[in-house]
Amino acid sequence: MEFTFLIENKPVTVFLEKKDGLYYYTQKDGEAVEVDIRTISPNVFSILIEGVSHRIYLTKDGEKYYSCCNGRHFVFLGSSGDDDEAFTRGEDRSLEDMLIVKAPMPGKIIQINVEKGQQVRKNQTLAIVEAMKMENEIKAGVEAVVKKILVKNGDLVDPEKVLIELEALDNT
Amino acid sequence: MEFTFLIENKPVTVFLEKKDGLYYYTQKDGEAVEVDIRTISPNVFSILIEGVSHRIYLTKDGEKYYSCCNGRHFVFLGSSGDDDEAFTRGEDRSLEDMLIVKAPMPGKIIQINVEKGQQVRKNQTLAIVEAMKMENEIKAGVEAVVKKILVKNGDLVDPEKVLIELEALDNT
Amino acid sequence: MFQKILIANRGEIAVRIIRACRELEITTVAVYSEADRDSLHVQVADEAVCIGPAPAQDSYLAMDRIIETAKKTGAEAVHPGYGFLAENPEFARLCEDSEIVFIGPASQSMELVGDKIRSRQTMEKADIPIIPGMKEVHKNIADYANEAKKIGYPVMIKASAGGGGKGMRIAYNADELMPGLEAGKREAKSAFGNDSVYLEKYIEEPRHVEVQILADNFGNTVHLFERECSIQRRHQKIIEESPSVALDPDLRYIMGETALKVVKAAGYNNAGTVEFLLDKNRNFYFLEVNARLQVEHPVTELVTGIDLVHQQLHVAAGEKLALKQSDLKQKGHAIECRIYAEDPDNQFLPSSGRVLYLKEPHGPGVRHDCGIFSGCEVPIYYDPILAKLIVWAGDRDMAIRRMSEALNDYVILGIKTTLDFLKDVFAHPEFKNGSTTTAFISRYFDDWSERSGSEENRKIVAIAAAYDSLQNVHIRTGKHGEQELETSPWLTLGKWRMGRG
Amino acid sequence: MFQKILIANRGEIAVRIIRACRELEITTVAVYSEADRDSLHVQVADEAVCIGPAPAQDSYLAMDRIIETAKKTGAEAVHPGYGFLAENPEFARLCEDSEIVFIGPASQSMELVGDKIRSRQTMEKADIPIIPGMKEVHKNIADYANEAKKIGYPVMIKASAGGGGKGMRIAYNADELMPGLEAGKREAKSAFGNDSVYLEKYIEEPRHVEVQILADNFGNTVHLFERECSIQRRHQKIIEESPSVALDPDLRYIMGETALKVVKAAGYNNAGTVEFLLDKNRNFYFLEVNARLQVEHPVTELVTGIDLVHQQLHVAAGEKLALKQSDLKQKGHAIECRIYAEDPDNQFLPSSGRVLYLKEPHGPGVRHDCGIFSGCEVPIYYDPILAKLIVWAGDRDMAIRRMSEALNDYVILGIKTTLDFLKDVFAHPEFKNGSTTTAFISRYFDDWSERSGSEENRKIVAIAAAYDSLQNVHIRTGKHGEQELETSPWLTLGKWRMGRG
């Protein structure tokens, strides 16, 4: 069976199958390789490939996988087969995303530093959100013009809440 | 709702109910007491009763509960309501049990010290089972006569496997 | 010794204090906000009392509620931990007035050292070297510009009541002064309820070296040597160690003696920390006294073998200090790093939410002071510190190796943390060779971004996720599904799996 | 230093050795039996190779397979841990012949010290005090009766190749001699593949005090002071501590020096332990040399600050011993207890099965060397040791308090363990006051039975179980069931709950 995951913005495709009680994986045009994989306890997997041992921690929240392998954490997306949109989004969203300025975490708007119509440069502070007692500057990811401001001082915002919409500059 | 558990050979009955989002328990003829109980994570519960904090670890394997509370471990039985037999058994099984000599753990019979018809005294060694590299003496729990020997040297035995049946002495 | 005390804090430090109390057979009372019912400190305490809604000002900073709870539960003393009310002289005084022992300095000396300006004045008089800066707080914001000019840029804006890097800003020139003052005042207000700020000469690329002290109520004092805390981000310490690579025995001796002079000048009692800046030319300047147990106290515990919380409790209970300076020695090397709920790949923005999985590191020489658990919720209301990982080894090189391995053995899934960032810091050659000035992070890690590493890692993770999916697919199609599940030993692992039906 | 080594062991000791290797940047190869695919040591090693079926003689004792695996994986050395092949001179020689470094003493000196009779002879010649006993092993079992008479009852039957209490029996009179010899021989055969036993004068209520030594390949030696290991059950140590309450500085000095004389007399290299019996009159007798890393090595590590596995690796790699006797000091007090899969409420019968839940203890001064995890299977084939809990504190009283609290913080569900039994041992006043002779357990804990304590505890547990049932009932009746489940945050906690559908 083929599985594709979007890991660190790279689609990783593996073909995994069970034959006579053993698992085999194939990548791209490669040969099938035996993989000794075991569920060790909830969220923990042990993989032996040609004698090399890996311990993988894995949990899932909706489409999102949280994982740790060989001392590195990653968050990545899985494809169920019928929802490949996430993948396209995943790779092409950068510019579009940078124009939609969101609250990166729950918190309180304590300052808005720009006005509608104002041109902003990359890394310019757009607003300040306070969370966990720290002030966090929300910066522009790209040079642009402020199209809409959707929050005001004192607003409590949820994660992923859109704060400000930007518009790409004509000359970009 | 009423629940009865057999804990340390004592039946413990509690009545627990949820009212307006709060839990209350009653024991015997006592008054209902509020209990602030929360599932903290799988197998972990936090209970606050009148300001006193308890952390309870609990897991279940069939009828058996494994638990740890305030630094003490216990294994106990639950009643589903339609299986109260376990409870009666639990309290009255001692003598009957002592006549049925079982393998207390998986292992290998390495010696049988008694013969059919032989009279044995309490704590007399009946057989030796080896497990985890240690010899373990299986002793008579009561003065009795050997009725049947169901295993022989070298047998691998499962836990709860009956090894020897004893018969109560006439004069007891 | 006390029979019962109240811990006016949460998270890892509350848990650590409760542990120390148990060892001294002291009953503990936890207080908690409505957001913290399921928190670890509530579970491990003997008693627990809810003192108000989630925002700290309504719970962990609600002095009256805490005093009232102490009285009601019969707690003889209150341990404030760090943060919250730890350095609030008003709270210390309230305790004194209510005949509850405040486990920390007397309100009077706390007031003195807590007021950065007054303490600078006191120390100047006692011949302690201090950094050039303002001698008083000004009302008029315009006066700050004059002071800054007098001191000479760059200047550091600091919260008068501050600590933990909150309210701190650097202004390299006059243009940066006003925005910095505003931000600093806002943060100071929010963090300490007091927006007083002052200016100090900013010493570039110094080391931050502090000395742990203990003082009883009878004037007996000892110091427990230094901690180097130069590895900071946004003026917040993230890695601390003891001993400092920058000190030799002579300088260590002088700084220790100076710290004790500071303590005497301030009439200070209980545990405290005297902070110094150490410049490139090995000049050191008094910064401030932290009138509390520090976040980084474990590194001192590991090199000296002294339990600082035990000592705090003994001293607060009116016992004489049982330690003599001549008995105290540093042995080996200890390093601590702080695990924050922050996303280092995204400007270190706070990350709240649920910890879906936690694997705590273990091993010889590894200590993990932890406030979280698998399944806990990290609320947005409080400081984002989750845990502290502390290692001890015979020397610094081995301590760094040990820390790296402990970090490799440490898993937090579900929220973003600083774990991988810290791994890269410890792997950096300039950290290893001890070039650990306060400029370290901004110099070498300004553009850090998550590198999960190799293609190999991605492949392995993909295989695991595929395997996981494959099993779920089986279950969904019912092919071998139910049967596999029934025979799975995991069915017995707690109610979660039992709830399937 | 080595680039890669093989660890010929399993469980907590394999995990502990792998950790030490990582810290020295040595790649590790684990070997495992078919019963151990999911074991912790397989997961934490860099490489893992299956070497045979579950029974130890077909896997962990299969010398050829292990040597072959070392060659195939390019491992330069083999660490045997304790048990299994650790004290098998044939294996050490096989390694030597295959030009693989055996991390332990040379086969020759291992052979000498491993043969209890020969080593007694050697030590007698070197003027080391020994216990009266047989000077050779007899073929004829009848000769043992004569020897026993000569020595005088009670006598101790001991396995010539023995260790860990296996094959040991006491005979108080002639009637008990034959059954004891038979049982001892059987156990010795099963444990060591060698049924030679011998007799020694049984010293009643002695203390078991041993001295840790380190020796390099160049004749340099140091000792790392004593461990007291008198708390034994069935001649198996269950609690060990350092320092011993029974030694004063003079006796400590003499025993340390004697241990070094033993090492020199045996031409011993690498880490080892010289065991002594200490009688009521403070006479001590050489017992034997344990030619391996001991189960209880952590207490020495905690009081001296020396990592014994690191030292073993350095010495085995041909480095000179970097330690000097004058640099070594004991600091504070360390205690270890062993957590066994045994049911103390039922004659300490082994308990195998699945660990349904594990909560590891944490905290300052707490070390947990652990070979298990939530969900692991404890096989019947091997030694029932699950983990070791070790604490360090400034003094013995605090170490005992700390141990008690760590045990209270330690949960193992699903199998029976010695946890609650150990709690009661540490709580015993005679343990606290240091009356810890080898008779301690049989005197005070012979009739121990599980006391889960109060009615209160039973009530609390019943409430939790009722709550759990109540929730399951809801789910089963579908009343609020599915809905509650859907909103439960736990749905996201891993595949187990996701597999519901």
Side-chain angles (χ1 to χ4, degrees), chain A residues 8 25 27 40 70-73 76 104 111 130 132, chain C residues 186 190 349 382 412 420 423-424 452 457-459:
Chain A
E8 306 187 305
Y25 80 93
Q27 263 195 311
I40 290 297
N70 297 325
R72 286 284 162 184
H73 290 74
F76 62 96
Q111 194 169 303
E130 190 200 82
M132 289 176 170
Chain C
R186 258 198 321 271
S190 148
L349 290 175
Y382 317 114
I412 301 177
D420 288 11
K423 275 173 222 172
D424 289 348
S452 305
N457 264 0
R458 285 192 289 273
K459 183 186 82 186

PDB file of all heavy atoms in Angstrom, chain A residues 8 25 27 40 70-73 76 104 111 130 132, chain C residues 186 190 349 382 412 420 423-424 452 457-459:
ATOM      1  N   GLU A   8       8.497  18.119   6.524  1.00  0.00           N
ATOM      2  CA  GLU A   8       9.385  19.265   6.289  1.00  0.00           C
ATOM      3  C   GLU A   8       9.206  19.803   4.871  1.00  0.00           C
ATOM      4  O   GLU A   8      10.187  20.059   4.166  1.00  0.00           O
ATOM      5  CB  GLU A   8      10.838  18.866   6.525  1.00  0.00           C
ATOM      6  CG  GLU A   8      11.011  18.260   7.899  1.00  0.00           C
ATOM      7  CD  GLU A   8      12.455  18.018   8.217  1.00  0.00           C
ATOM      8  OE1 GLU A   8      13.123  17.340   7.424  1.00  0.00           O
ATOM      9  OE2 GLU A   8      12.918  18.527   9.243  1.00  0.00           O
ATOM     10  N   TYR A  25       9.325  -2.436   2.830  1.00  0.00           N
ATOM     11  CA  TYR A  25       9.041  -1.104   2.297  1.00  0.00           C
ATOM     12  C   TYR A  25       9.838  -0.903   1.020  1.00  0.00           C
ATOM     13  O   TYR A  25      10.898  -1.502   0.803  1.00  0.00           O
ATOM     14  CB  TYR A  25       9.357  -0.009   3.325  1.00  0.00           C
ATOM     15  CG  TYR A  25      10.817   0.336   3.407  1.00  0.00           C
ATOM     16  CD1 TYR A  25      11.360   1.378   2.636  1.00  0.00           C
ATOM     17  CD2 TYR A  25      11.660  -0.360   4.256  1.00  0.00           C
ATOM     18  CE1 TYR A  25      12.692   1.682   2.710  1.00  0.00           C
ATOM     19  CE2 TYR A  25      12.998  -0.069   4.329  1.00  0.00           C
ATOM     20  CZ  TYR A  25      13.523   0.962   3.547  1.00  0.00           C
ATOM     21  OH  TYR A  25      14.848   1.265   3.610  1.00  0.00           O
ATOM     22  N   GLN A  27      10.886   2.439  -1.679  1.00  0.00           N
ATOM     23  CA  GLN A  27      10.837   3.876  -1.935  1.00  0.00           C
ATOM     24  C   GLN A  27      11.197   4.109  -3.386  1.00  0.00           C
ATOM     25  O   GLN A  27      12.165   3.522  -3.899  1.00  0.00           O
ATOM     26  CB  GLN A  27      11.836   4.598  -1.033  1.00  0.00           C
ATOM     27  CG  GLN A  27      11.207   5.160   0.216  1.00  0.00           C
ATOM     28  CD  GLN A  27      12.124   6.145   0.888  1.00  0.00           C
ATOM     29  OE1 GLN A  27      13.294   5.859   1.102  1.00  0.00           O
ATOM     30  NE2 GLN A  27      11.610   7.315   1.208  1.00  0.00           N
ATOM     31  N   ILE A  40       5.554  -0.840  20.252  1.00  0.00           N
ATOM     32  CA  ILE A  40       6.165  -1.164  21.529  1.00  0.00           C
ATOM     33  C   ILE A  40       5.211  -0.840  22.676  1.00  0.00           C
ATOM     34  O   ILE A  40       5.052  -1.587  23.624  1.00  0.00           O
ATOM     35  CB  ILE A  40       7.472  -0.357  21.681  1.00  0.00           C
ATOM     36  CG1 ILE A  40       8.527  -0.881  20.703  1.00  0.00           C
ATOM     37  CG2 ILE A  40       7.975  -0.386  23.096  1.00  0.00           C
ATOM     38  CD1 ILE A  40       8.940  -2.308  20.957  1.00  0.00           C
ATOM     39  N   ASN A  70      15.115   9.531  16.402  1.00  0.00           N
ATOM     40  CA  ASN A  70      16.546   9.770  16.544  1.00  0.00           C
ATOM     41  C   ASN A  70      16.848  11.158  17.108  1.00  0.00           C
ATOM     42  O   ASN A  70      17.714  11.880  16.632  1.00  0.00           O
ATOM     43  CB  ASN A  70      17.257   9.563  15.205  1.00  0.00           C
ATOM     44  CG  ASN A  70      17.131   8.127  14.724  1.00  0.00           C
ATOM     45  OD1 ASN A  70      17.128   7.197  15.531  1.00  0.00           O
ATOM     46  ND2 ASN A  70      16.991   7.940  13.426  1.00  0.00           N
ATOM     47  N   GLY A  71      16.091  11.540  18.102  1.00  0.00           N
ATOM     48  CA  GLY A  71      16.358  12.801  18.789  1.00  0.00           C
ATOM     49  C   GLY A  71      15.892  14.056  18.084  1.00  0.00           C
ATOM     50  O   GLY A  71      16.272  15.159  18.457  1.00  0.00           O
ATOM     51  N   ARG A  72      15.077  13.938  17.038  1.00  0.00           N
ATOM     52  CA  ARG A  72      14.551  15.119  16.356  1.00  0.00           C
ATOM     53  C   ARG A  72      13.034  15.068  16.317  1.00  0.00           C
ATOM     54  O   ARG A  72      12.459  14.035  15.965  1.00  0.00           O
ATOM     55  CB  ARG A  72      15.084  15.190  14.915  1.00  0.00           C
ATOM     56  CG  ARG A  72      16.527  15.602  14.819  1.00  0.00           C
ATOM     57  CD  ARG A  72      16.657  17.098  15.062  1.00  0.00           C
ATOM     58  NE  ARG A  72      18.038  17.451  15.404  1.00  0.00           N
ATOM     59  CZ  ARG A  72      18.411  18.684  15.744  1.00  0.00           C
ATOM     60  NH1 ARG A  72      17.542  19.668  15.783  1.00  0.00           N
ATOM     61  NH2 ARG A  72      19.659  18.915  16.052  1.00  0.00           N
ATOM     62  N   HIS A  73      12.414  16.189  16.664  1.00  0.00           N
ATOM     63  CA  HIS A  73      10.962  16.277  16.635  1.00  0.00           C
ATOM     64  C   HIS A  73      10.488  16.764  15.280  1.00  0.00           C
ATOM     65  O   HIS A  73      11.101  17.667  14.709  1.00  0.00           O
ATOM     66  CB  HIS A  73      10.474  17.254  17.707  1.00  0.00           C
ATOM     67  CG  HIS A  73      10.655  16.741  19.104  1.00  0.00           C
ATOM     68  ND1 HIS A  73      11.884  16.679  19.712  1.00  0.00           N
ATOM     69  CD2 HIS A  73       9.763  16.262  20.011  1.00  0.00           C
ATOM     70  CE1 HIS A  73      11.739  16.189  20.936  1.00  0.00           C
ATOM     71  NE2 HIS A  73      10.468  15.922  21.147  1.00  0.00           N
ATOM     72  N   PHE A  76       4.135  16.737  10.963  1.00  0.00           N
ATOM     73  CA  PHE A  76       3.946  16.602   9.520  1.00  0.00           C
ATOM     74  C   PHE A  76       2.521  16.189   9.193  1.00  0.00           C
ATOM     75  O   PHE A  76       1.712  15.916  10.082  1.00  0.00           O
ATOM     76  CB  PHE A  76       4.973  15.645   8.921  1.00  0.00           C
ATOM     77  CG  PHE A  76       4.904  14.230   9.421  1.00  0.00           C
ATOM     78  CD1 PHE A  76       4.208  13.257   8.718  1.00  0.00           C
ATOM     79  CD2 PHE A  76       5.548  13.867  10.590  1.00  0.00           C
ATOM     80  CE1 PHE A  76       4.154  11.947   9.171  1.00  0.00           C
ATOM     81  CE2 PHE A  76       5.499  12.560  11.054  1.00  0.00           C
ATOM     82  CZ  PHE A  76       4.802  11.599  10.340  1.00  0.00           C
ATOM     83  N   PRO A 104      -0.379  33.663  16.077  1.00  0.00           N
ATOM     84  CA  PRO A 104       0.313  32.374  16.102  1.00  0.00           C
ATOM     85  C   PRO A 104       0.001  31.587  17.362  1.00  0.00           C
ATOM     86  O   PRO A 104       0.281  30.413  17.446  1.00  0.00           O
ATOM     87  CB  PRO A 104       1.779  32.778  16.058  1.00  0.00           C
ATOM     88  CG  PRO A 104       1.826  34.175  16.581  1.00  0.00           C
ATOM     89  CD  PRO A 104       0.481  34.794  16.394  1.00  0.00           C
ATOM     90  N   GLN A 111      -1.137  45.910  21.004  1.00  0.00           N
ATOM     91  CA  GLN A 111      -0.777  47.064  20.178  1.00  0.00           C
ATOM     92  C   GLN A 111      -0.914  46.708  18.716  1.00  0.00           C
ATOM     93  O   GLN A 111      -0.569  45.598  18.306  1.00  0.00           O
ATOM     94  CB  GLN A 111       0.666  47.484  20.489  1.00  0.00           C
ATOM     95  CG  GLN A 111       1.007  48.852  19.928  1.00  0.00           C
ATOM     96  CD  GLN A 111       2.343  49.332  20.496  1.00  0.00           C
ATOM     97  OE1 GLN A 111       2.520  49.420  21.708  1.00  0.00           O
ATOM     98  NE2 GLN A 111       3.278  49.645  19.629  1.00  0.00           N
ATOM     99  N   GLU A 130       0.235  39.656  23.470  1.00  0.00           N
ATOM    100  CA  GLU A 130       0.797  39.185  24.723  1.00  0.00           C
ATOM    101  C   GLU A 130       0.259  37.809  25.060  1.00  0.00           C
ATOM    102  O   GLU A 130      -0.944  37.571  25.002  1.00  0.00           O
ATOM    103  CB  GLU A 130       0.440  40.158  25.854  1.00  0.00           C
ATOM    104  CG  GLU A 130       1.195  39.850  27.130  1.00  0.00           C
ATOM    105  CD  GLU A 130       0.516  40.448  28.339  1.00  0.00           C
ATOM    106  OE1 GLU A 130      -0.442  39.818  28.843  1.00  0.00           O
ATOM    107  OE2 GLU A 130       0.939  41.525  28.767  1.00  0.00           O
ATOM    108  N   MET A 132       1.390  34.343  27.769  1.00  0.00           N
ATOM    109  CA  MET A 132       2.313  33.819  28.765  1.00  0.00           C
ATOM    110  C   MET A 132       3.252  34.904  29.293  1.00  0.00           C
ATOM    111  O   MET A 132       4.451  34.685  29.445  1.00  0.00           O
ATOM    112  CB  MET A 132       3.123  32.665  28.188  1.00  0.00           C
ATOM    113  CG  MET A 132       2.287  31.413  27.971  1.00  0.00           C
ATOM    114  SD  MET A 132       3.231  30.133  27.180  1.00  0.00           S
ATOM    115  CE  MET A 132       2.124  28.728  27.347  1.00  0.00           C
TER     116      MET A 132
ATOM    117  N   ARG C 186       5.150  48.643  29.847  1.00  0.00           N
ATOM    118  CA  ARG C 186       3.969  47.784  29.694  1.00  0.00           C
ATOM    119  C   ARG C 186       4.226  46.391  30.239  1.00  0.00           C
ATOM    120  O   ARG C 186       3.438  45.836  30.999  1.00  0.00           O
ATOM    121  CB  ARG C 186       3.598  47.670  28.211  1.00  0.00           C
ATOM    122  CG  ARG C 186       2.433  48.515  27.756  1.00  0.00           C
ATOM    123  CD  ARG C 186       1.870  48.023  26.431  1.00  0.00           C
ATOM    124  NE  ARG C 186       2.893  47.589  25.503  1.00  0.00           N
ATOM    125  CZ  ARG C 186       3.507  48.388  24.615  1.00  0.00           C
ATOM    126  NH1 ARG C 186       3.225  49.679  24.549  1.00  0.00           N
ATOM    127  NH2 ARG C 186       4.423  47.888  23.805  1.00  0.00           N
ATOM    128  N   SER C 190       2.536  44.564  33.461  1.00  0.00           N
ATOM    129  CA  SER C 190       1.833  43.291  33.324  1.00  0.00           C
ATOM    130  C   SER C 190       2.453  42.198  34.177  1.00  0.00           C
ATOM    131  O   SER C 190       1.761  41.369  34.762  1.00  0.00           O
ATOM    132  CB  SER C 190       1.803  42.900  31.846  1.00  0.00           C
ATOM    133  OG  SER C 190       1.838  41.521  31.687  1.00  0.00           O
ATOM    134  N   LEU C 349       7.635  31.986  19.608  1.00  0.00           N
ATOM    135  CA  LEU C 349       6.290  32.328  20.065  1.00  0.00           C
ATOM    136  C   LEU C 349       5.806  31.243  21.022  1.00  0.00           C
ATOM    137  O   LEU C 349       6.094  30.073  20.840  1.00  0.00           O
ATOM    138  CB  LEU C 349       5.349  32.434  18.873  1.00  0.00           C
ATOM    139  CG  LEU C 349       5.614  33.652  17.990  1.00  0.00           C
ATOM    140  CD1 LEU C 349       4.717  33.615  16.765  1.00  0.00           C
ATOM    141  CD2 LEU C 349       5.381  34.946  18.776  1.00  0.00           C
ATOM    142  N   TYR C 382       0.245  31.449  31.994  1.00  0.00           N
ATOM    143  CA  TYR C 382       1.418  31.518  32.877  1.00  0.00           C
ATOM    144  C   TYR C 382       2.709  31.409  32.086  1.00  0.00           C
ATOM    145  O   TYR C 382       2.710  31.235  30.870  1.00  0.00           O
ATOM    146  CB  TYR C 382       1.314  30.430  33.949  1.00  0.00           C
ATOM    147  CG  TYR C 382      -0.069  30.311  34.540  1.00  0.00           C
ATOM    148  CD1 TYR C 382      -0.841  29.182  34.347  1.00  0.00           C
ATOM    149  CD2 TYR C 382      -0.633  31.400  35.238  1.00  0.00           C
ATOM    150  CE1 TYR C 382      -2.120  29.086  34.858  1.00  0.00           C
ATOM    151  CE2 TYR C 382      -1.927  31.311  35.745  1.00  0.00           C
ATOM    152  CZ  TYR C 382      -2.675  30.161  35.553  1.00  0.00           C
ATOM    153  OH  TYR C 382      -3.944  30.087  36.042  1.00  0.00           O
ATOM    154  N   ILE C 412       8.678  15.341  23.582  1.00  0.00           N
ATOM    155  CA  ILE C 412       7.416  16.023  23.893  1.00  0.00           C
ATOM    156  C   ILE C 412       6.651  16.164  22.587  1.00  0.00           C
ATOM    157  O   ILE C 412       7.111  16.843  21.671  1.00  0.00           O
ATOM    158  CB  ILE C 412       7.635  17.416  24.527  1.00  0.00           C
ATOM    159  CG1 ILE C 412       8.434  17.313  25.833  1.00  0.00           C
ATOM    160  CG2 ILE C 412       6.280  18.102  24.784  1.00  0.00           C
ATOM    161  CD1 ILE C 412       8.750  18.672  26.474  1.00  0.00           C
ATOM    162  N   ASP C 420      14.729  20.788  20.506  1.00  0.00           N
ATOM    163  CA  ASP C 420      15.674  20.607  19.394  1.00  0.00           C
ATOM    164  C   ASP C 420      16.638  21.790  19.289  1.00  0.00           C
ATOM    165  O   ASP C 420      17.813  21.620  18.940  1.00  0.00           O
ATOM    166  CB  ASP C 420      14.924  20.413  18.067  1.00  0.00           C
ATOM    167  CG  ASP C 420      14.241  19.045  18.003  1.00  0.00           C
ATOM    168  OD1 ASP C 420      14.178  18.362  19.034  1.00  0.00           O
ATOM    169  OD2 ASP C 420      13.786  18.667  16.909  1.00  0.00           O
ATOM    170  N   LYS C 423      19.375  21.248  21.759  1.00  0.00           N
ATOM    171  CA  LYS C 423      20.330  20.248  21.273  1.00  0.00           C
ATOM    172  C   LYS C 423      21.391  20.897  20.400  1.00  0.00           C
ATOM    173  O   LYS C 423      22.579  20.592  20.512  1.00  0.00           O
ATOM    174  CB  LYS C 423      19.596  19.193  20.429  1.00  0.00           C
ATOM    175  CG  LYS C 423      18.999  18.083  21.232  1.00  0.00           C
ATOM    176  CD  LYS C 423      18.162  17.177  20.348  1.00  0.00           C
ATOM    177  CE  LYS C 423      16.898  16.838  21.099  1.00  0.00           C
ATOM    178  NZ  LYS C 423      15.912  16.116  20.297  1.00  0.00           N
ATOM    179  N   ASP C 424      20.940  21.800  19.520  1.00  0.00           N
ATOM    180  CA  ASP C 424      21.890  22.446  18.622  1.00  0.00           C
ATOM    181  C   ASP C 424      22.807  23.402  19.372  1.00  0.00           C
ATOM    182  O   ASP C 424      23.966  23.572  19.008  1.00  0.00           O
ATOM    183  CB  ASP C 424      21.149  23.175  17.493  1.00  0.00           C
ATOM    184  CG  ASP C 424      20.524  22.178  16.513  1.00  0.00           C
ATOM    185  OD1 ASP C 424      20.867  20.981  16.595  1.00  0.00           O
ATOM    186  OD2 ASP C 424      19.707  22.593  15.674  1.00  0.00           O
ATOM    187  N   SER C 452      15.326  18.843  11.011  1.00  0.00           N
ATOM    188  CA  SER C 452      15.011  17.521  11.552  1.00  0.00           C
ATOM    189  C   SER C 452      16.033  16.536  11.076  1.00  0.00           C
ATOM    190  O   SER C 452      16.008  15.372  11.408  1.00  0.00           O
ATOM    191  CB  SER C 452      13.629  17.079  11.124  1.00  0.00           C
ATOM    192  OG  SER C 452      12.715  18.055  11.490  1.00  0.00           O
ATOM    193  N   ASN C 457      15.946  10.086   8.412  1.00  0.00           N
ATOM    194  CA  ASN C 457      14.952  10.322   9.454  1.00  0.00           C
ATOM    195  C   ASN C 457      13.548  10.430   8.876  1.00  0.00           C
ATOM    196  O   ASN C 457      12.592   9.897   9.427  1.00  0.00           O
ATOM    197  CB  ASN C 457      15.252  11.634  10.191  1.00  0.00           C
ATOM    198  CG  ASN C 457      16.037  11.388  11.455  1.00  0.00           C
ATOM    199  OD1 ASN C 457      16.351  10.243  11.788  1.00  0.00           O
ATOM    200  ND2 ASN C 457      16.362  12.452  12.159  1.00  0.00           N
ATOM    201  N   ARG C 458      13.437  11.152   7.768  1.00  0.00           N
ATOM    202  CA  ARG C 458      12.120  11.326   7.152  1.00  0.00           C
ATOM    203  C   ARG C 458      11.578   9.987   6.677  1.00  0.00           C
ATOM    204  O   ARG C 458      10.400   9.693   6.824  1.00  0.00           O
ATOM    205  CB  ARG C 458      12.201  12.326   5.985  1.00  0.00           C
ATOM    206  CG  ARG C 458      12.326  13.772   6.432  1.00  0.00           C
ATOM    207  CD  ARG C 458      12.114  14.749   5.278  1.00  0.00           C
ATOM    208  NE  ARG C 458      13.208  14.732   4.328  1.00  0.00           N
ATOM    209  CZ  ARG C 458      14.317  15.473   4.423  1.00  0.00           C
ATOM    210  NH1 ARG C 458      14.472  16.301   5.438  1.00  0.00           N
ATOM    211  NH2 ARG C 458      15.259  15.390   3.510  1.00  0.00           N
ATOM    212  N   LYS C 459      12.458   9.180   6.129  1.00  0.00           N
ATOM    213  CA  LYS C 459      12.039   7.854   5.660  1.00  0.00           C
ATOM    214  C   LYS C 459      11.530   7.004   6.828  1.00  0.00           C
ATOM    215  O   LYS C 459      10.466   6.386   6.751  1.00  0.00           O
ATOM    216  CB  LYS C 459      13.221   7.149   4.985  1.00  0.00           C
ATOM    217  CG  LYS C 459      12.864   5.788   4.397  1.00  0.00           C
ATOM    218  CD  LYS C 459      14.103   5.060   3.868  1.00  0.00           C
ATOM    219  CE  LYS C 459      14.845   4.362   5.002  1.00  0.00           C
ATOM    220  NZ  LYS C 459      16.127   3.768   4.582  1.00  0.00           N
TER     221      LYS C 459
END
